[in-house]
Amino acid sequence: MSAFLALLARDAHVARRNFVPLMLQTMLQPMLFVFVFGQVMTRSGMMTPGYEDFLLPGIMAITMMMTGIQAVAMPLISEFQFTKEIEDRLLAPVNIQWLAVEKIVAGMLQTAVAGCVVAPAAYLLISGGAGASLKRPVEAVVMALLVALLSSAVGLLMGCSVGQTQIGLLFSLVLAPMIMFGCAYYPWSALASFPIVQKLVLLNPLVYASEGLRGVLTPHVEHMPVWVVMLVLALMDALIVAAGLNQFMKKAVG
Amino acid sequence: MAAGAGIRTVNLCKVYTSPPPAASGAATLTLGPQRGPGLRNKKVEIQALAGLSLEVRPGEIFGLLGPNGAGKSTTAGILTTRIRPTSGEAWVGDYEVWRDQVKAKRLIGVVQQRPNLDFSLTAREILQFHAAYFGIGKAERNKLSSELLERFQLTDRADELVRGYSGGMMQRVAIARAMMHHPRVLFLDEPSTGLDPQTRLLLWEIIREYNAEGTTILLTTHNMEEADALCGRIAIIDHGKMIALGTPAELKASIPGGYLLRARLSLGADEAAGRLRNEAGVSEVQVTGGRLDIYADRGGALVGLLVSAASACGAELLDLEISEPSLENLFLHHTGRSLRQ
Ligand SMILES: Nc1ncnc2c1ncn2[C@@H]1O[C@H](COP(=O)(O)OP(=O)(O)O)[C@@H](O)[C@H]1O
Ligand SMILES: [Mg+2]
């Protein structure tokens, strides 16, 4: 247990040292998006008012997903590369699965921090503050935890499956479509006129993050039923954590 | 400090099923017959260890000596939980490493061949976090890290990120790190590669001192001077097998004759060899092409005989090299190849 905490302390230390660049990296894009879509487009009348209520939870979902994925995957990719920075931690006297678990926990903590920063910022930036509310705090916390776990688990899986040279591809071929087809900027129901796409995106974890956060933050807008989303998220979490751990073990031992 | 623990391997085998990573130092010189150019797209099988059994006694400095690709790093990797063996057993102290990984990890300190420092941290932080992973308390780890930084002459730059360090400095940090938690067995995989001669001497001194406190040390090297200078016993390995084992003195004494004269004749090498074999004090003569390897109990004193043997065959002595008993000669004797190549 003390080794586990020490591993966590190491990641916290490094994250604190890189706090400003890390924050900029995860915050800038969603903030720009909030400004353009939440302010410019709605005030000029190009978007109907009320769009903000769809947008706010979507932006939260993107921020949380991207934070977790990047916080876990990026360091892992480089640490497993030929610099082998991770070796010393693999030699720590704990089962090496715990190192993967620690990575997930560290990713969830960073996701939580990002969520806590982006929520009020987005709330303030969006004109009128959107119709977000926290009337169901327990559900909101459970949902946020499920999303945070999902993002870190996806990060673990990607971090152990992708090489340094493929990072560019990861962004353009995996993350970009994931964001655009993640139902973050529009509700899932908006895809009704594209039935095939609508079915296909159900494989995209971000869809459940977006719809789930809508369900708990802006329940008055259209969204998937909260309990369905929670169930799917729990399943996806379990699956992706298992796959990530498996991949980690393969990568870690020669 | 806890006494050193022993190491034992039983019939250790390792077959890699993927090609070595391009950046690996070992990849440049592979001697295994399995890797022909035609195998590029077929399934690779590299036999790195072919039944290696070793026994290292508690408290000794044991050397694994062998050329690049011999299987030294693979052996160290298996004993330190980092490479899964294909078959065989690997014991550290009372634990079979692959059955009791965590307990085995508690006993060992590891310096891998390639520097693998945590680039996000300073040297001091690297040492302190390492100690924290091993459950060492804060006051203790501050004290230990300062001591080791001083001992490795790193204090000046201890609070810089190690990213900017030279190779030699990184290597020193890696060794200090492995010592932080007082391991009972210290694994040093080619610890002095890339060190300047002065730092190498400092390292040798530190290794001896550390061993004097009781820690078992397993050192791998392709440098026979290093093995000779530091190790109580040495195993010479090649192609994943042990070819010789003993103290440096025993090993040197085991070479027939001890001295080696390598000569090149313009012609008639076989005939000259026949003549020389009958001479007193010559224990073995090997012929490869025009070259003669003469193992004998003396060196320079044989030159006269060699010259007369050559002229008796109507040949000219083109080249001659005399060397004293050494581990290099021993390796050459067993494999017909030089350790240095
Ligand atoms: N990770 C790896 N994957 C595939 N082959 C490897 C790997 N590591 C080492 N090898 C091969 O195994 C053999 C032994 O390598 P190694 O144990 O590194 O030797 P040494 O440390 O004595 O130079 C070499 O042929 C090497 O190319
Ligand atoms: Mg090696």
Side-chain angles (χ1 to χ4, degrees):
Chain A
M1 192 60 201
S2 81
F4 183 82
L5 292 180
L7 292 168
L8 202 54
R10 182 260 171 214
D11 280 351
H13 183 79
V14 174
R16 227 178 299 131
R17 178 169 283 159
N18 302 332
F19 185 75
V20 173
L22 265 181
M23 273 297 149
L24 283 179
Q25 182 189 326
T26 45
M27 294 299 148
L28 189 61
Q29 217 191 337
M31 285 301 126
L32 292 177
F33 214 88
V34 164
F35 178 71
V36 172
F37 283 83
Q39 290 275 4
V40 179
M41 304 285 263
T42 42
R43 278 206 197 169
S44 62
M46 298 183 79
M47 288 276 185
T48 47
Y51 175 63
E52 305 95 317
D53 297 3
F54 287 102
L55 186 63
L56 181 69
I59 293 289
M60 291 275 303
I62 290 188
T63 310
M64 290 180 75
M65 283 302 286
M66 288 304 128
T67 307
I69 292 177
Q70 294 192 31
V72 179
M74 293 306 146
L76 270 178
I77 291 174
S78 68
E79 288 172 357
F80 268 125
Q81 226 48 41
F82 57 84
T83 57
K84 290 280 177 196
E85 285 174 64
I86 204 166
E87 281 294 326
D88 189 43
R89 279 165 277 156
L90 291 171
L91 285 164
V94 281
N95 263 321
I96 56 179
Q97 282 100 327
W98 285 108
L99 181 55
V101 173
E102 182 274 327
K103 286 282 170 199
I104 291 182
V105 173
M108 288 177 73
L109 290 175
Q110 291 190 44
T111 308
V113 171
C116 291
V117 175
V118 85
Y123 191 86
L124 292 178
L125 255 181
I126 287 177
S127 50
S133 65
L134 260 184
K135 290 199 190 92
R136 305 156 158 194
V138 180
E139 281 179 26
V141 169
V142 172
M143 191 66 81
L145 280 176
L146 287 170
V147 171
L149 177 56
L150 182 70
S151 69
S152 306
V154 171
L156 178 70
L157 184 60
M158 286 183 179
C160 300
S161 318
V162 171
Q164 190 115 55
T165 48
Q166 298 155 328
I167 291 184
L169 288 180
L170 178 70
F171 272 93
S172 52
L173 292 185
V174 181
L175 296 183
M178 185 168 132
I179 291 176
M180 294 323 283
F181 290 109
C183 298
Y185 304 133
Y186 48 84
W188 182 66
S189 52
L191 288 172
S193 34
F194 310 92
I196 298 176
V197 176
Q198 197 180 28
K199 301 264 151 42
L200 275 179
V201 299
L202 289 177
L203 292 172
N204 182 351
L206 181 57
V207 169
Y208 302 97
S210 307
E211 291 287 304
L213 290 176
R214 269 182 204 120
V216 294
L217 293 178
T218 54
H220 57 280
V221 304
E222 241 175 304
H223 61 81
M224 293 178 180
V226 170
W227 70 271
V228 173
V229 174
M230 283 191 175
L231 201 70
V232 176
L233 279 178
L235 267 173
M236 278 196 159
D237 281 349
L239 259 171
I240 298 175
V241 167
L245 282 177
N246 187 37
Q247 200 65 21
F248 180 85
M249 295 301 286
K250 265 198 219 153
K251 194 98 180 178
V253 180
Chain B
M1 184 180 290
I7 301 172
R8 195 156 60 88
T9 73
V10 184
N11 226 344
L12 217 49
C13 291
K14 174 67 187 180
V15 178
Y16 289 103
T17 48
S18 55
S24 145
T28 45
L29 241 183
T30 12
L31 302 163
Q34 299 87 352
R35 297 184 67 234
L39 293 182
R40 185 168 284 247
N41 293 321
K42 292 186 197 148
K43 204 179 165 210
V44 241
E45 283 210 343
I46 302 166
Q47 175 113 40
L49 289 181
L52 186 70
S53 299
L54 282 177
E55 182 138 16
V56 179
R57 301 177 195 130
E60 76 176 329
I61 305 185
F62 188 92
L64 277 184
L65 178 67
N68 264 329
K72 306 181 295 293
S73 298
T74 303
T75 309
I78 292 173
L79 282 162
T80 55
T81 75
R82 302 299 306 116
I83 298 172
R84 190 183 295 279
T86 309
S87 64
E89 292 172 22
W91 293 79
V92 172
D94 297 329
Y95 306 112
E96 206 287 321
V97 175
W98 290 89
R99 281 200 288 273
D100 279 311
Q101 279 194 43
V102 177
K103 283 175 182 148
K105 283 201 274 192
R106 285 208 169 278
L107 299 183
I108 61 176
V110 185
V111 178
Q112 285 165 345
Q113 181 168 0
R114 281 184 289 145
N116 51 25
L117 300 180
D118 197 332
F119 281 152
S120 316
L121 302 176
T122 67
R124 191 184 301 279
E125 288 166 349
I126 285 177
L127 300 191
Q128 294 182 342
F129 274 113
H130 178 88
Y133 304 154
F134 281 84
I136 296 173
K138 189 158 186 160
E140 176 78 2
R141 47 181 203 252
N142 289 346
K143 180 171 146 282
L144 276 173
S145 57
S146 298
E147 279 172 17
L148 278 169
L149 287 166
E150 189 63 42
R151 199 163 168 199
F152 280 90
Q153 303 175 356
L154 290 163
T155 308
D156 303 350
R157 300 182 57 188
D159 297 308
E160 281 174 37
L161 291 181
V162 293
R163 230 174 251 290
Y165 276 25
S166 71
M169 293 176 76
M170 289 192 194
Q171 183 70 343
R172 280 181 273 158
V173 178
I175 297 167
R177 180 179 68 185
M179 293 177 167
M180 271 300 280
H181 59 288
H182 296 309
R184 294 176 60 193
V185 182
L186 184 60
F187 290 85
L188 298 170
D189 195 354
E190 313 234 3
S192 59
T193 342
L195 294 187
D196 58 82
Q198 202 184 333
T199 318
R200 177 175 302 190
L201 290 182
L202 169 72
L203 174 63
W204 287 5
E205 187 188 310
I206 291 172
I207 292 177
R208 287 201 194 95
E209 269 175 43
Y210 206 69
N211 172 254
E213 291 166 14
T215 314
T216 310
I217 296 178
L218 183 87
L219 175 116
T220 83
T221 179
H222 64 271
N223 178 333
M224 64 220 150
E225 284 155 40
E226 182 164 74
D228 204 355
L230 284 175
C231 302
R233 290 194 308 146
I234 296 170
I236 299 187
I237 62 173
D238 189 28
H239 295 322
K241 282 200 206 83
M242 175 140 54
I243 23 184
L245 171 73
T247 65
E250 281 167 2
L251 287 174
K252 283 187 248 174
S254 76
I255 317 169
Y259 285 84
L260 169 63
L261 287 86
R262 312 196 86 186
R264 203 153 53 81
L265 300 188
S266 54
L267 48 96
D270 284 310
E271 194 187 336
R275 288 169 185 270
L276 285 165
R277 283 198 180 100
N278 299 325
E279 297 293 342
V282 172
S283 41
E284 199 179 317
V285 183
Q286 294 169 356
V287 184
T288 26
R291 213 181 58 210
L292 291 175
D293 285 349
I294 305 157
Y295 293 88
D297 63 359
R298 59 216 142 110
L302 272 178
V303 175
L305 280 177
L306 179 61
V307 172
S308 44
S311 52
C313 315
E316 202 182 326
L317 182 61
L318 299 177
D319 189 22
L320 177 64
E321 191 187 315
I322 305 175
S323 54
E324 297 192 324
S326 70
L327 296 173
E328 168 74 25
N329 290 357
L330 178 71
F331 187 77
L332 196 69
H333 177 72
H334 281 289
T335 66
R337 284 179 296 116
S338 165
L339 206 48
R340 296 174 200 271
Q341 59 189 205

